[in-house]
Amino acid sequence: MLISFLPRQAIVAAALGLLAAASLPACKTRPAEGETAASGTAAADGETAAKPAPIDTIKIKMLAMRRDSLKADSIAKKNGQLPGAILPGHRIVAFYGNIRSKGMGILGREPKEQMFRKFAGVLKEWQAADPSIPVQPALHNVTITAQGSPGKDGKWRLMNSKATIEEVISWAREHHCILFLDVQPGHSTLPVELPKLEPYLKQPDIHLGIDPEFSLATMPGVRPNQRIGTLDAKDVNFTINFLARIVSENHLPPKVLTVHRFTRKMITNYKNIKLDPRVQVVMHMDGHGEPTLKKDSYHDYIQTEPVQYTGFKLFYEYDPKPAPHHMMTPSEILAQLTPKPLYIQYQ
């Protein structure tokens, strides 16, 4: 995949020099007869042994990331995308929620087999509405969830247990779905929370979502659901770089990153988001309501502030209320939204 890179000479020279210093053992000399070997390197009388230069591991990693990014850029420019990329050659259709909660979405609200029968029908609807693009089924599980109480560390969020995460992984694979692990940071931050998911993200069929609505680190004293949270371009860029490193280190196809959005302030400085071919960014219109409101939100916060790919969310419970409102159909979405979203999520 991406690890057999051909780095640029200047970067390679610096990186290899640092790596060599970090990895090669120090040379040892057998003591002469009558001498005693000392721990470390012996120094002559009156001399002090020179200390080895400290290894800048952060610099090594940055050089490696830069090298990998350059290689990924060159492949993407030549071929249009990296091998194994899901978008734009597929349309992802996802069921969202938490398998341990009936209140967070269709994923978890209904018994497993009943839910998957409904999902199969939805997938057929989308494939019939646009036969030109194959549908990629997905589950989108909220894995780090904003909470109504602060918890012991006062961060207002809770991560699913290992057993729950492994169960939803098994559900996805059993039904040939990719899986998104979604993060609602509460009063924590993405640099603190995302590493907890790295063991799972090293797997090729597991992707990531981040939810600014429940990112409240810049709003002291505010509880989740009291106000709509926010993330900045720098937070999205951190996430992109985090995923790109995982892709390179583990020889993976590109990751898909969904970023929820339904207000302007949920993502600030969107023009500063820096794309990387190893990560496919979906700006996802996450609001509920009647069709006109949803279309206007998609236009204002997704279409007119473009990043890369686009997504659109449908709510089984909220979109049809009050009558005569209805949940938009696949054909309506494809006919009335520009650009046509390549990520569709049902809650």
Side-chain angles (χ1 to χ4, degrees):
M1 286 287 183
L2 299 178
I3 289 301
S4 57
F5 292 145
L6 300 175
R8 293 188 178 180
Q9 292 180 350
I11 294 171
V12 173
L16 291 181
L18 288 167
L19 287 169
S23 60
L24 292 178
C27 295
K28 296 183 179 179
T29 303
R30 180 180 297 175
E33 191 172 337
E35 293 181 350
T36 302
S39 60
T41 302
D45 289 345
E47 294 182 357
T48 302
K51 293 183 179 179
I55 303 301
D56 190 340
T57 56
I58 295 177
K59 185 175 182 180
I60 292 173
K61 289 181 179 180
M62 293 299 293
L63 287 169
M65 284 186 64
R66 174 67 174 156
R67 175 201 68 195
D68 294 353
S69 178
L70 290 170
K71 182 61 178 179
D73 284 339
S74 68
I75 295 172
K77 287 175 182 176
K78 182 177 180 179
N79 301 316
Q81 60 184 16
L82 297 180
I86 296 174
L87 303 173
H90 298 76
R91 174 170 285 112
I92 300 170
V93 178
F95 266 19
Y96 169 100
N98 183 298
I99 66 169
R100 296 287 185 256
S101 170
K102 294 183 179 297
M104 294 185 67
I106 186 62
L107 178 61
R109 180 179 300 129
E110 298 180 1
K112 176 186 174 185
E113 296 308 323
Q114 178 179 318
M115 181 204 71
F116 274 110
R117 285 194 295 272
K118 178 181 285 189
F119 193 28
V122 169
L123 297 174
K124 288 180 181 178
E125 290 177 7
W126 275 100
Q127 197 62 79
D130 186 0
S132 68
I133 301 179
V135 170
Q136 170 61 63
L139 302 183
H140 197 121
N141 188 76
V142 185
T143 305
I144 297 176
T145 309
Q147 299 292 299
S149 58
K152 292 182 179 179
D153 61 0
K155 297 301 183 182
W156 299 83
R157 54 84 186 94
L158 181 68
M159 181 170 167
N160 284 169
S161 68
K162 181 180 179 182
T164 295
I165 297 171
E166 290 179 349
E167 183 173 353
V168 75
I169 290 172
S170 72
W171 285 23
R173 290 175 178 166
E174 178 185 349
H175 290 270
H176 309 290
C177 300
I178 60 174
L179 175 64
F180 288 83
L181 303 180
D182 201 83
V183 178
Q184 300 176 351
H187 279 277
S188 186
T189 63
L190 294 175
V192 171
E193 299 302 317
L194 294 186
K196 299 174 184 178
L197 301 180
E198 183 165 349
Y200 306 105
L201 292 167
K202 290 179 179 179
Q203 302 175 56
D205 55 346
I206 298 181
H207 302 267
L208 183 67
I210 56 176
D211 196 344
E213 180 182 2
F214 298 101
S215 177
L216 304 165
T218 60
M219 303 177 184
V222 174
R223 297 185 179 192
N225 285 324
Q226 280 187 325
R227 288 173 60 186
I228 295 172
T230 184
L231 289 171
D232 187 70
K234 68 178 185 298
D235 302 302
V236 180
N237 289 338
F238 172 86
T239 306
I240 291 171
N241 290 335
F242 172 80
L243 289 173
R245 175 184 59 78
I246 292 174
V247 167
S248 289
E249 290 178 351
N250 296 279
H251 307 261
L252 300 175
K255 293 291 184 184
V256 180
L257 169 65
T258 61
V259 183
H260 302 281
R261 188 178 193 189
F262 57 87
T263 71
R264 181 155 285 111
K265 290 184 179 180
M266 283 175 69
I267 294 291
T268 54
N269 301 307
Y270 81 96
K271 291 182 179 180
N272 295 334
I273 294 174
K274 297 178 181 178
L275 300 178
D276 186 300
R278 293 167 287 179
V279 181
Q280 302 193 292
V281 180
V282 174
M283 298 303 294
H284 177 228
M285 205 298 285
D286 190 24
H288 60 78
E290 50 88 14
T292 299
L293 176 62
K294 292 174 72 76
K295 288 184 287 185
D296 287 347
S297 296
Y298 185 86
H299 174 272
D300 292 345
Y301 311 126
I302 306 298
Q303 179 182 346
T304 62
E305 296 193 357
V307 176
Q308 191 174 21
Y309 300 104
T310 67
F312 193 75
K313 190 166 190 173
L314 298 158
F315 289 79
Y316 280 110
E317 290 193 314
Y318 302 127
D319 285 358
K321 297 176 182 178
H325 297 149
H326 68 284
M327 190 172 74
M328 294 177 71
T329 67
S331 296
E332 286 178 309
I333 291 169
L334 294 174
Q336 298 176 31
L337 297 183
T338 303
K340 294 178 174 60
L342 289 176
Y343 177 88
I344 303 295
Q345 185 182 96
Y346 286 82
Q347 180 173 335

